[in-house]
Amino acid sequence: MYSCSLAIDATRTRVIATGDVVQPPRWDDTPNGRRPVAGSTAVDEETGQPINLIGVLLPTGQNGEKETHTVRVCSYEVPELPEFEPVEFDGLQALIRPAKTGKGIELYLSADAVRVASASGKPAPPAKDTAPKDVA
C-alpha cells in the first residue's frame, strides 16, 4: 500500500471555513466492539491535546470547484471561526492514500494551528509578546 504526505503552502490557497468545529469523542474497545465514550474528547496520541475537526471549503474539485474537507487541528482551545470566511492554517499537511474500498484515494488534512485570515489577504503576522519586559 502506498501513501504520500505533502506540505501545503497555505498562503497560496484560499481556504474558507464552514463554521463547523467538532471535537470527536474518544472510542474504547469493549467486548461488544468499539464504542464512543459519552462526554469525552479524543486526544492526539503524540501531543495529548484534544482533536478539533474543522470544516473548510477548498478548490479541489473539477475545474477548481470548491469541495468540503475536514482539517484536523490539535489544540486545547476550540477555535471559533466565522461561517464562510477565509482562514489560515500553520503547517498544513495532506496525507494521500488508497481508499479502503479499493477504488480511488482518500485525502486527510491536518495542521498545527488555525486562525481567521487577515483583512489584506496576506498572512496575519505572528502574535507579538505583549508581556511587560523587566528593564533591570
Side-chain angles (χ1 to χ4, degrees):
M1 176 155 94
Y2 64 90
S3 68
C4 179
S5 183
L6 304 167
I8 298 173
D9 183 359
T11 61
R12 299 183 64 180
T13 303
R14 184 177 164 128
V15 182
I16 307 294
T18 63
D20 299 325
V21 178
V22 176
Q23 286 190 314
R26 181 174 50 91
W27 288 69
D28 278 344
D29 292 320
T30 67
N32 297 330
R34 290 182 51 106
R35 302 276 188 245
V37 178
S40 68
T41 301
V43 295
D44 182 70
E45 292 179 10
E46 292 179 18
T47 66
Q49 295 179 331
I51 298 170
N52 298 293
L53 301 177
I54 301 169
V56 297
L57 295 170
L58 287 170
T60 56
Q62 192 171 18
N63 297 323
E65 294 176 2
K66 291 180 180 58
E67 294 182 325
T68 57
H69 293 278
T70 301
V71 180
R72 176 184 168 161
V73 177
C74 298
S75 168
Y76 289 108
E77 295 179 16
V78 179
E80 291 186 28
L81 302 171
E83 241 180 29
F84 306 114
E85 293 291 328
V87 292
E88 297 172 345
F89 287 99
D90 293 333
L92 186 59
Q93 294 270 332
L95 173 65
I96 303 165
R97 65 181 185 197
K100 293 177 183 173
T101 62
K103 295 182 179 181
I105 60 171
E106 293 177 335
L107 171 66
Y108 296 93
L109 297 168
S110 64
D112 298 328
V114 62
R115 65 184 170 279
V116 175
S118 63
S120 67
K122 295 180 182 175
K128 293 184 180 180
D129 184 12
T130 57
K133 305 246 189 287
D134 188 17
V135 191

